[in-house]
């Protein structure tokens, strides 16, 4: 039997007997507005903002909302188990924290606080290449908890090789390669504030601490920080990369490799043909291509194309437990959640991130049970209908 995540609601009600109420809302869709009120426009815009006028972020939510759950009755849901097998690991629930860069703009404890929260709840933490904390320090904060490393694939192959060997040495088990950011998109909220933390050397910790990166500098980072920033900007991503380049990653990483940003079935097939282990169906939370399709609308076709060959994960638009239910019913093995935990971090540090994880999984547990499911394994497309209005 797995942990009953739903028990979190009783914990809240019992705490209420002594007058305590949760420090943050339990409706996680309210966190963005609270964060907007408490943090400056630069950091909030960087996390909450999207490409263009935000149509893709809205499409992500609409694609999930349009699908409605069809609950079933009189099924034994007394004992529930939310655990899943993902990439050869058993996870206590079908959830991981998505990679988000520059978390120091949300809270001084940054990535370490989010990583400790994930470790405390047993869900994987995905560290961004663009973190404000070096990967070794984040690994140390997590002990032996499950952690994944997200790679922004740099132009310099020596830096790429160095990142992979450092991540492996620091105990990161899975490599998540983001493909949808060969350059930064047009993001008006950042542009209107002229806010890009990397230009101030924030979110560059993995690079500035890297021997291969340092080898490309005329002077040490602290002696000429501007030159280090410009070196970073010049190599951060590489729009010239193509499918055959994946062989380099296979050569230098011996664990599972997951490609993030897949929206077309042919790209998913190409990932399988390149001996990758999984894909994340994702449009970067609407941050890269304005006018793109909602990620949940892309999911069924990708599951149909490669579900028997690859582990299909999902992100972009997850805000609630029922959103997770829907993504699993559409064929994802697990979901990654991004912005909500960043808001939790900004509002209440590690405790805020734990609150987000526990709320999501309590609501998922209850939604499963109340819809007639004792775990994710019995979910399928028949548990949803697509609403026309």
């Amino acid at each position: 039997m797995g942990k009953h995540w739903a028990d979190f609601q009783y914990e809240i009600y019992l705490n209420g007997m002594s007058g305590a109420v949760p420090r943050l809302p339990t409706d996680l869709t309210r966190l963005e507005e609270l964060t907007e009120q408490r943090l400056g426009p630069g950091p909030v815009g960087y996390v909450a903002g999207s490409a263009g006028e935000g149509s893709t972020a809205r499409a992500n939510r609409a694609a999930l909302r349009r699908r409605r759950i069809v609950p079933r009755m009189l099924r034994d849901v007394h004992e529930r188990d939310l655990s899943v097998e993902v990439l050869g690991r058993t996870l206590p629930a079908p959830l991981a924290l998505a990679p988000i860069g520059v978390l120091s703009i949300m809270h001084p404890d940054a990535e370490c606080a989010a990583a400790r929260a994930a470790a405390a709840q047993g869900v994987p933490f995905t560290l961004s290449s663009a973190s404000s904390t070096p990967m070794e320090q984040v690994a140390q904060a997590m002990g032996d908890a499950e952690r994944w490393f997200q790679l922004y694939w740099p132009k310099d192959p020596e830096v790429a090789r160095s990142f992979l060997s450092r991540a492996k040495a620091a105990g990161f088990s899975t490599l998540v390669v983001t493909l949808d950011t060969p350059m930064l998109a047009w993001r008006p909220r950042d542009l209107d504030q002229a806010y890009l933390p990397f230009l101030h050397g924030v979110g560059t910790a993995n690079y500035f601490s890297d021997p291969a990166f340092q080898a490309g500098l005329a002077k040490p980072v602290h002696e000429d920080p501007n030159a280090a920033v410009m070196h970073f900007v010049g190599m951060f991503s590489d729009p010239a990369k193509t499918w055959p380049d994946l062989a380099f990653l296979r050569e230098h990483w011996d664990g599972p490799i997951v490609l993030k940003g897949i929206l077309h079935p042919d790209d998913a097939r190409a990932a399988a043909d390149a001996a990758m282990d999984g894909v994340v169906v994702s449009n970067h939370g609407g941050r890269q291509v304005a006018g793109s399709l909602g990620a949940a609308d892309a999911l069924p076709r990708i599951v149909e194309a490669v579900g028997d060959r690859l582990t299909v994960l999902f992100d972009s638009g997850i805000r609630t437990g029922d959103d997770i239910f829907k993504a699993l019913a559409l064929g994802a093995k697990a979901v990654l959640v991004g912005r909500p935990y960043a808001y939790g971090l900004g509002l209440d540090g590690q405790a805020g991130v734990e609150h987000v994880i526990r709320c999501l999984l309590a609501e998922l547990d209850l939604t499963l049970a109340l819809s007639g499911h004792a775990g994710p394994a019995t979910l399928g497309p028949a548990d949803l209908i697509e609403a026309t209005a």
Side-chain angles (χ1 to χ4, degrees), residues 8-22:
F8 184 39
Q9 74 165 329
Y10 301 113
E11 186 183 310
I12 291 172
Y13 287 134
L14 287 170
N15 287 339
M17 303 282 286
S18 56
V21 298

Side-chain angles (χ1 to χ4, degrees), residues 19-97:
V21 298
R23 286 165 57 88
L24 297 181
T26 53
D27 171 1
L28 300 180
T29 64
R30 291 179 52 208
L31 296 182
E32 182 173 342
E33 191 187 344
L34 276 181
T35 309
E36 297 258 7
Q37 292 162 11
R38 293 202 205 163
L39 269 69
V44 170
Y46 185 80
V47 174
S50 299
E53 47 81 61
S55 65
T56 303
R58 291 192 297 276
N60 286 336
R61 295 297 299 133
L64 287 162
R65 284 199 184 112
R66 208 173 58 247
R67 292 171 167 91
R68 312 303 301 174
I69 295 165
V70 185
R72 301 297 302 275
M73 299 300 122
L74 291 176
R75 292 175 165 187
D76 183 357
V77 293
H78 172 63
E79 292 296 355
R80 296 178 308 285
D81 185 356
L82 267 55
S83 66
V84 287
E85 288 287 321
V86 173
L87 300 164
R89 307 286 176 127
T90 302
L91 307 182
L95 178 72
L97 297 193

